[in-house]
Amino acid sequence: MKSNIKNEASQVKIPSFQYQNHIYGLSIQKFNNKFQINNPLIATSTISTNTNSFNIIYINEDNSISQKGEVTNLSFPLSKISFNEIDPQLIATSDINLSLYKIDFLIEDEVEMGLNCNYSTDKFKLDINKIALLSQDEEFNAPITSFDWNKTNKNLIITCSIDNTCSIWDVNSQQVISKLIAHDTEVYDVSFLDGENIFVSVGGDGELRLFDLRDLDNSQIVFDSKDGSGLVRLSVSPYDKNYILTLSNNKPYFYLIDMRELSSPV
């Protein structure tokens, strides 16, 4: 018996964007914890010269691509780039320092960007302004490996670095308000959980650690790879904060951690 089901996927035009260099970092804007198909994307380059860049890209209703803004001549490849989930006009990037950018939308019909993204991309212009360069002003600034915006306070960012530390920044004052030695080796990734105070990190020591900003003298080892392999990336489930994914630097699989069952990964 023949099936009458058509392969609809083959008839759908999939948006694609040809970048001038190798793409390393990606971020998509979301508002009120929701994605929409025409929310902007960011793509960053990774090349060994001081001509790195990032682009803000829109997917139009016909699935074509519009490039609406570009920041060029970055001295280093960016280790991460991310929209602020509370204020979608703020962007943070990391390399040696933490940089903040604000997107200004000049929209013909005066629709507020971020509050209503259902507009045609030919009706607005985009301006990207660097508003802050957050540096610890030390003799040697260790490269920042990753960062995360706080989920409830748009003025808090946490960064991690190859010098074994995590730093919590106040965006308003542009100062570090807390800094701690988080791991015995490099810290490769960090993420806030629900609320303003709890965060997790992973590092070259193979450990996933849990911290509370109200008591930084103590931490909890949530998971240990126990085989000497470092953990390089983590991702907290947006639906259930008890679930955390983490990747090893030399394993062909990932670990799924349930914070309620810490004896072993799922």
Side-chain angles (χ1 to χ4, degrees):
M1 180 177 179
K2 292 185 178 180
S3 172
N4 293 322
I5 299 175
K6 295 181 179 180
N7 186 359
E8 296 182 359
S10 63
Q11 302 176 12
V12 176
K13 180 182 178 181
I14 300 176
S16 62
F17 174 70
Q18 184 66 43
Y19 204 45
Q20 65 266 33
N21 297 303
H22 292 296
I23 295 177
Y24 178 77
L26 293 169
S27 181
I28 184 170
Q29 184 199 70
K30 61 181 178 179
F31 188 72
N32 289 334
N33 207 33
K34 295 180 179 179
F35 294 108
Q36 292 181 232
I37 187 61
N38 58 347
N39 281 22
L41 310 168
I42 311 177
T44 71
S45 68
T46 173
I47 52 178
S48 58
T49 66
N50 61 350
T51 56
N52 282 275
S53 62
F54 70 80
N55 290 74
I56 297 183
I57 305 156
Y58 282 81
I59 302 174
N60 302 315
E61 292 181 357
D62 61 356
N63 281 348
S64 62
I65 296 293
S66 294
Q67 180 178 318
K68 284 295 182 177
E70 182 179 27
V71 173
T72 60
N73 298 323
L74 301 174
S75 298
F76 302 97
L78 300 176
S79 56
K80 186 174 181 178
I81 190 165
S82 179
F83 284 101
N84 185 306
E85 295 182 14
I86 302 172
D87 184 350
Q89 289 181 234
L90 291 178
I91 296 172
T93 68
S94 58
D95 46 38
I96 297 294
N97 300 300
L98 184 67
S99 299
L100 303 179
Y101 296 84
K102 183 178 181 182
I103 308 174
D104 291 320
F105 293 84
L106 309 176
I107 306 174
E108 291 181 2
D109 56 7
E110 298 182 353
V111 175
E112 181 68 20
M113 175 58 199
L115 300 178
N116 183 355
C117 293
N118 293 318
Y119 48 76
S120 174
T121 56
D122 60 0
K123 292 184 178 180
F124 70 91
K125 297 179 180 179
L126 182 65
D127 192 20
I128 308 172
N129 297 298
K130 191 171 187 177
I131 58 175
L133 176 67
L134 280 60
S135 173
Q136 299 186 43
D137 296 325
E138 297 177 352
E139 184 176 347
F140 171 72
N141 279 343
I144 296 172
T145 50
S146 189
F147 67 87
D148 192 38
W149 290 98
N150 192 274
K151 306 300 188 294
T152 59
N153 184 344
K154 72 174 186 178
N155 295 312
L156 286 183
I157 299 181
I158 187 167
T159 61
C160 56
S161 178
I162 64 171
D163 65 357
N164 307 11
T165 66
C166 289
S167 299
I168 297 89
W169 297 81
D170 183 295
V171 171
N172 288 331
S173 66
Q174 301 183 20
Q175 298 294 321
V176 173
I177 56 177
S178 295
K179 184 175 182 177
L180 68 148
I181 296 176
H183 287 260
D184 297 329
T185 59
E186 301 91 341
V187 189
Y188 289 127
D189 207 358
V190 65
S191 178
F192 282 106
L193 299 183
D194 274 339
E196 189 170 320
N197 297 300
I198 309 299
F199 67 93
V200 288
S201 63
V202 292
D205 53 11
E207 294 178 352
L208 169 67
R209 297 191 181 188
L210 177 73
F211 297 87
D212 190 326
L213 291 179
R214 296 162 295 190
D215 183 17
L216 291 177
D217 292 331
N218 298 292
S219 65
Q220 180 181 1
I221 298 176
V222 175
F223 173 72
D224 189 340
S225 64
K226 297 185 183 301
D227 60 2
S229 59
L231 301 177
V232 293
R233 283 291 177 261
L234 67 86
S235 179
V236 179
S237 169
Y239 306 106
D240 187 340
K241 303 299 182 182
N242 289 303
Y243 289 107
I244 300 174
L245 286 172
T246 183
L247 294 173
S248 172
N249 61 353
N250 59 5
K251 294 289 191 302
Y253 51 82
F254 59 82
Y255 300 101
L256 174 59
I257 313 298
D258 186 341
M259 299 281 285
R260 298 161 297 190
E261 301 287 343
L262 300 182
S263 58
S264 61
V266 177

